[in-house]
Amino acid sequence: MVICHLCGRGFRSLGSHLRAHGMTADQYRQQYGLLHSRALSARELTQARSTAQRQAYTASERMRTDFAQGQNMARTGALSRRSRAAFTDHGVSLELERERLERLAAGRRTQQATAEQHLTATIEALGFRSVEAALRTLYVEHELSIENTAVQLVPHVVVALVAADRGVPGLPRGDHRLDQSPAFVG
């Protein structure tokens, strides 16, 4: 069942029900921030329709011809141009925006975890007991610049982020003290 946001009742398909509320499917999707492609019918009904369409495609020469025209539009870029025009007309749905933000956050978490693993492995290989100890030794006590600390550990962006996360004070941006040899190892 699909629950109507307007009245809270469940239906196999909201298509005809929305007319009772004086709305079209597009208006409903826009009002509730749903993707344009969001099905407004129950999953079983959607699957049954899909199966019926596949059978019709197999049996119909005309459907196969029409489908081939669509594939040709995709190859030539006409489909993309139409999509962009429709996107401009309708804007971004809230659901799409949420999905994009969730994917972005997941990617950032993955990058952070990978950076942390790399940093931990490097710290251990250099003989430091912790990330904090390495940062304090290299960056604070030995006054290596962020760039030369990065030469020892990981890219400078990761060093700056990790240092800030762990409360290690940094030098002001652009403050480059005379460094010891970049070949310094704990």
Side-chain angles (χ1 to χ4, degrees):
M1 302 290 279
V2 178
I3 305 299
C4 175
H5 287 84
L6 296 163
C7 65
R9 293 174 37 208
F11 297 89
R12 287 188 61 191
S13 176
L14 290 181
S16 60
H17 170 71
L18 291 176
R19 287 192 290 275
H21 293 296
M23 295 183 87
T24 66
D26 282 341
Q27 291 169 333
Y28 180 81
R29 287 183 185 103
Q30 187 171 15
Q31 181 171 340
Y32 292 99
L34 302 175
L35 287 172
H36 240 35
S37 59
R38 169 66 59 206
L40 298 179
S41 56
R43 186 164 285 142
E44 292 83 21
L45 182 59
T46 302
Q47 289 171 345
R49 288 176 178 165
S50 176
T51 300
Q53 286 296 316
R54 261 187 263 120
Q55 291 170 349
Y57 173 80
T58 302
S60 170
E61 178 65 33
R62 179 168 180 197
M63 279 185 94
R64 290 191 299 276
T65 301
D66 290 346
F67 187 72
Q69 288 175 341
Q71 286 178 319
N72 186 47
M73 288 175 65
R75 275 192 292 276
T76 63
L79 212 49
S80 293
R81 287 188 293 280
R82 283 188 181 187
S83 175
R84 273 193 297 277
F87 177 78
T88 302
D89 294 342
H90 294 90
V92 178
S93 72
L94 295 176
E95 186 177 16
L96 178 59
E97 190 63 30
R98 277 192 306 270
E99 284 183 6
R100 286 177 177 170
L101 290 173
E102 288 169 7
R103 285 193 303 266
L104 181 62
R108 287 181 175 156
R109 285 190 300 272
T110 299
Q111 286 179 332
Q112 181 68 27
T114 301
E116 287 282 340
Q117 289 172 352
H118 182 256
L119 181 62
T120 301
T122 303
I123 296 298
E124 289 173 3
L126 292 174
F128 291 104
R129 69 186 192 309
S130 68
V131 173
E132 292 83 356
L135 289 170
R136 289 192 193 283
T137 301
L138 297 171
Y139 189 53
V140 178
E141 293 171 16
H142 294 282
E143 298 181 346
L144 291 179
S145 68
I146 197 83
E147 290 82 5
N148 284 331
T149 301
V151 168
Q152 297 296 316
L153 304 175
V154 289
H156 71 280
V157 173
V158 175
V159 173
L161 289 172
V162 172
D165 285 346
R166 289 175 167 76
V168 176
L171 300 173
R173 219 172 201 348
D175 184 356
H176 299 282
R177 299 179 188 174
L178 291 175
D179 290 335
Q180 295 183 6
S181 165
F184 169 82
V185 177

